Amino acid sequence: MINAIWLGLIVIGIVISMFNGNMQVVTDSVLSSSKTAVEIAIGLIGVMSFWLGLMKVAEEAGLVKALGRGLRPIMKRLFPEIPEDHPAVGSIVANVAANFFGLGNAATPLGIKAMQELQELNDNKEEATDAMVLFLAINTSSVTLISSSVIAYRAAANSANVTEIIAPTIIATIISTVVGVASCKFLQKLPTFKRESKKGE
């Protein structure tokens, strides 16, 4: 779908430029943007390697596991429907901890594993459970301590202070996570959003 939208935008732009006589402007913009994209991509290699390496050291040092142990009591309150000893709890905690340290590559497989384990608890395989919806909201808006990707993009764009994004990122992700969790908890109580399996209970 997104490819169709992009294709439509490109075709519309080309057609309009043809009628306006600005084809040369479009051609120059395409070449200039392509050159910039390659320069940014190459510039990202070094910065991404540094931050991902730093985060990997933190992971190997046990910081991710330590954070996971600290988050476990909170997860129990957020996901009361998941049995305490179920492996989904561990996967959710590990995913949130990885996101916290900006380990996106590590967080993705943990998130997929958590969803698979939550699906095992789902009595209606065609419909997501409240826990799955809440986990997706938390995963999407997860609190991030160091956003290594954004720092890398800023460095590639020759930002004067690449790390000034850290504090706003922490504040923004805290707010987004609180709003996401509160919205899920509120909407889950409304009859409109209750699952079919619960309506019959």
Side-chain angles (χ1 to χ4, degrees), residues 178-198:
V178 170
V179 171
V181 171
S183 299
C184 282
K185 290 296 184 182
F186 172 73
L187 292 173
Q188 288 169 3
K189 295 178 181 177
L190 298 180
T192 305
F193 296 101
K194 283 191 177 296
R195 304 177 69 224
E196 290 297 328
S197 57
K198 288 187 175 181

Side-chain angles (χ1 to χ4, degrees), residues 5-78:
I5 294 175
W6 277 112
L7 179 61
L9 291 173
I10 292 172
V11 171
I12 291 172
I14 292 174
V15 171
I16 292 177
S17 66
M18 289 174 62
F19 282 103
N20 291 340
N22 292 325
M23 278 301 294
Q24 186 59 44
V25 175
V26 174
T27 303
D28 293 342
S29 297
V30 169
L31 295 176
S32 175
S33 299
S34 301
K35 179 182 177 182
T36 302
V38 172
E39 291 174 346
I40 291 177
I42 293 176
L44 285 174
I45 295 175
V47 182
M48 285 291 288
S49 299
F50 170 74
W51 282 106
L52 291 177
L54 190 64
M55 293 300 101
K56 188 64 178 177
V57 170
E59 182 184 15
E60 294 295 329
L63 290 178
V64 175
K65 290 183 178 178
L67 179 63
R69 288 194 293 272
L71 289 173
R72 189 171 287 271
I74 300 175
M75 292 298 122
K76 288 180 182 177
R77 295 183 63 85
L78 289 175

Side-chain angles (χ1 to χ4, degrees), residues 101-124:
F101 287 108
L103 298 169
N105 291 337
T108 300
L110 290 170
I112 294 173
K113 184 179 180 184
M115 273 297 185
Q116 291 173 336
E117 291 166 345
L118 288 173
Q119 181 71 346
E120 294 177 1
L121 298 172
N122 190 356
D123 57 355
N124 181 359

